Amino acid sequence: MARQQLITEILRDLAQTEGDFDDLVPAVYDEMRHLARSQLQRLRSGGAIETTELVHEAYLKLSGVDPAWENRRHFFATAAKVMRHLLTDAARRAKADKRGGAAVHVPLLDVDAATRREADTFLAIDAALRKLAADIPRLADVG
């Protein structure tokens, strides 16, 4: 019960700009880890993000917002929402990578030049096979 009261006091001080967000961290760390584990179990997607990483990323996000939390419940509800957003963003990045998001993007002009080189190579091979077919038909039969 003392921990809950401490959290409430820190949140009240933060709302009145008399507190420091860093004072909140040790008071809520265990509950944040529990919340993160719960979020990860519910939204398990192959372990792209670990519990500690999720807690720390959530702290970074929460430290950058106006601390107008009404009470502990409001703080933890906000923390859960931030964690869901972080997990959603991680899932989107993973999905984008699967669709070629991490691929090297080549300018269209470079693709056109590569296509022309491939066409030139194809035509050279075709010309060589035609010449071979004229000289030795049996060797030219590759189809």
Side-chain angles (χ1 to χ4, degrees):
M1 194 64 157
R3 175 174 280 192
Q4 292 176 350
Q5 190 166 358
L6 173 64
I7 294 169
T8 300
E9 289 174 17
I10 294 170
L11 290 171
R12 186 191 66 236
D13 290 346
L14 283 171
Q16 297 171 358
T17 64
E18 297 173 3
D20 185 2
F21 187 80
D22 291 338
D23 294 338
L24 184 63
V25 174
V28 298
Y29 190 78
D30 291 338
E31 289 181 63
M32 291 285 289
R33 284 189 56 80
H34 177 73
L35 185 60
R37 256 191 310 278
S38 172
Q39 291 281 337
L40 287 167
Q41 286 173 352
R42 217 173 316 134
L43 305 169
R44 183 54 73 185
S45 62
I49 188 169
E50 296 296 323
T51 303
T52 303
E53 183 182 6
L54 182 57
V55 170
H56 293 186
E57 289 293 323
Y59 275 133
L60 288 174
K61 295 282 186 185
L62 290 167
S63 68
V65 300
D66 182 23
W69 299 295
E70 298 168 12
N71 51 37
R72 285 182 297 97
R73 180 175 286 148
H74 187 212
F75 171 78
F76 286 113
T78 303
K81 188 174 185 179
V82 166
M83 288 180 188
R84 269 194 317 277
H85 287 287
L86 289 167
L87 290 170
T88 301
D89 290 346
R92 282 188 184 123
R93 280 191 305 275
K95 195 169 183 173
D97 287 345
K98 288 180 183 177
R99 290 190 312 260
V104 176
H105 295 280
V106 179
L108 190 55
L109 294 175
D110 291 348
V111 171
D112 192 38
T115 303
R116 272 189 258 125
R117 280 194 303 274
E118 288 177 15
D120 290 343
T121 302
F122 179 76
L123 292 173
I125 291 171
D126 183 61
L129 285 173
R130 285 177 194 249
K131 185 174 185 308
L132 185 61
D135 295 342
I136 312 170
R138 189 177 64 80
L139 289 180
D141 188 19
V142 294

